[in-house]
Amino acid sequence: MFAANRVTIRLCGQQTGLRLPRAALTPFNPAIQTRSFLRIYLSIAAVLQSPLASGPSKDPTVAADDTITINGFVRSVRRHKHICFAAVGDGSTIEPLQVVLTHEQAENLSIGASISISGKLHQSPKGKKQQHELLAKNLRVLGEADPTTYPLQKKYQTPDYLRTIPHLRSRTPFNSLLLRLRSRSIEALTRYFAKNDIWQTHPPIITSSDCEGAGEVFTVAARHATPKANVPQSEIQDEPFFRTPKYLTVSSQLHLEALAQSVGRVWTLSPTFRAEGSDTSRHLSEFYMLEAELSFANELADIMNLVEDLLKYLCGALSSAHIKQELISVMPTGDAKREEGATKNKTTLKSRWDSLLRISDRGVERMWPRITYSQALQHLQEAVESKRATFEHPLGWSLGLQSEHEKFITQDIGKGAPVFVTDYPREIKAFYMAPSPTLTYTHGPAPQGPTVACFDLLMPGIGEVAGGSMRENRLPELLESMRRHGLVKVRQSSLTDEDPIAPNEDLGSLKWYAELRRWGSVPHGGFGLGFDRLLSYLSGVPNVRDVATFPRWPGRCDC
């Protein structure tokens, strides 16, 4: 029986007496709690990264005489005449822990089996690759894996093959590293926004409008489980669940603009859906977008400065979290570490990170280059005329930049660093973008037509990763832009002559968005960044499908 103390708890202005065990009133001791938890479960990363204590230590993770328990999956088993070795991983590090076993302990072990091992950690003999090895005392097989059917054998698995088993591929060392890269990145981004008073929000996934106006959306409909009477199953059609058609979001921007008018600056990391048929290494049908909106931003440079500072902060945080070193360490050739289509050249991946931080040879941080669309177009045309480059897609004011153009710009202008391209033609951009400010073009060509205050962030080898703009905050100008883009419909009802909306105009599902400009509108801007593309760039994985946990692309949604 526990001795009990009476404590008083105040609930909604009333007092109530409860009798609690004395143990429940013991002050929390973090050192005791942490040490107790570590004895229950230690990650393999914690074991491998902590030097063994040769004697009593104030706070060692693993002391020399500690008995520890490791949980993980068998990556390989080697059986020798007098002893056996198992390589065990738990996803916390790309390196496995070597476990020393007897033949009896290793009898039923196979690749892919989940096990729990207790034993003492020893330093490996000199000349061995690993520094530590676990001398197993007790071993339990938690889940068997038939070695004749287990899909992940100890050999190089091609990216194409791994995409056929998305439910298992995260068990490979490199894919578990990608999961940790994703998690650490979200952690760092959250910390950055919190430090800068940019508030995290959760905008809806189901929306009433297509933000970009491109029409490439997934429509939400309800399918009834119970068939209708006397109607063949083949003739049953999906029905709208809501009163009007709704869609899976292509961007959270419009809703973020509404939320930013309440707390000033907001951000989100949300799933996004595109029903476009692009079947390339850069496109997914479902992906994550990092988006932010900033009220009272007056210039496009404010948004670009935020994006650049954010990404440099992220790279610095990941470098200190050991993720960068792990990514580079899996680059050497050889089947054992030639993981999932990642870039094979260590120097190339390291230079990617260095170019993001933009550190010069003298250790001075430099800004990423910023050029206008007109300057980019002129540079590309001059490269073609001088025969320094040839492009499959033609160049033109209203044609935009294709992937091959973007990659050339980052190499030739950015010298391997990201490049901001600003002030695109109005006719090829979204309706909500504000016009570019009137400028005197003393350097570079003048634009060939109206432009908008926007940017695309181009990264080497990938192309566009982020895009942003100043938003049109004036109601009459926004309505005129919506008319140009064909987003205003004719209606029968009328409004007063003083209203900027014409008597016969219907804004449809965008009415609420236009109304944000009616009452207390402010100058504002924001950006959206393809989170999966960013991870692809940082990890050196050339295909974004190999970065997404369960990738969806045209024709494929396996599990």
Side-chain angles (χ1 to χ4, degrees), residues 369-443:
R370 302 179 182 187
I371 61 172
T372 66
Y373 176 85
S374 301
Q375 292 171 327
L377 195 60
Q378 182 187 52
H379 188 85
L380 292 168
Q381 290 170 339
E382 290 175 351
V384 172
E385 292 170 0
S386 63
K387 298 183 178 180
R388 293 191 299 113
T390 56
F391 301 115
E392 178 182 351
H393 297 88
L395 296 167
W397 172 253
S398 61
L399 298 179
L401 300 178
Q402 302 300 318
S403 177
E404 58 179 343
H405 305 144
E406 295 171 344
K407 292 177 181 179
F408 181 83
I409 289 171
T410 57
Q411 291 302 322
D412 208 53
I413 296 178
K415 307 301 181 184
V419 177
F420 286 103
V421 179
T422 67
D423 301 287
Y424 280 72
R426 182 181 67 185
E427 60 194 277
I428 64 174
K429 286 298 184 178
F431 74 95
Y432 49 75
M433 295 185 179
S436 301
T438 303
L439 301 174
T440 302
Y441 290 89
T442 56
H443 302 286

Side-chain angles (χ1 to χ4, degrees), residues 495-501:
L495 296 178
T496 62
D497 293 338
E498 292 79 14
D499 199 292
I501 305 175

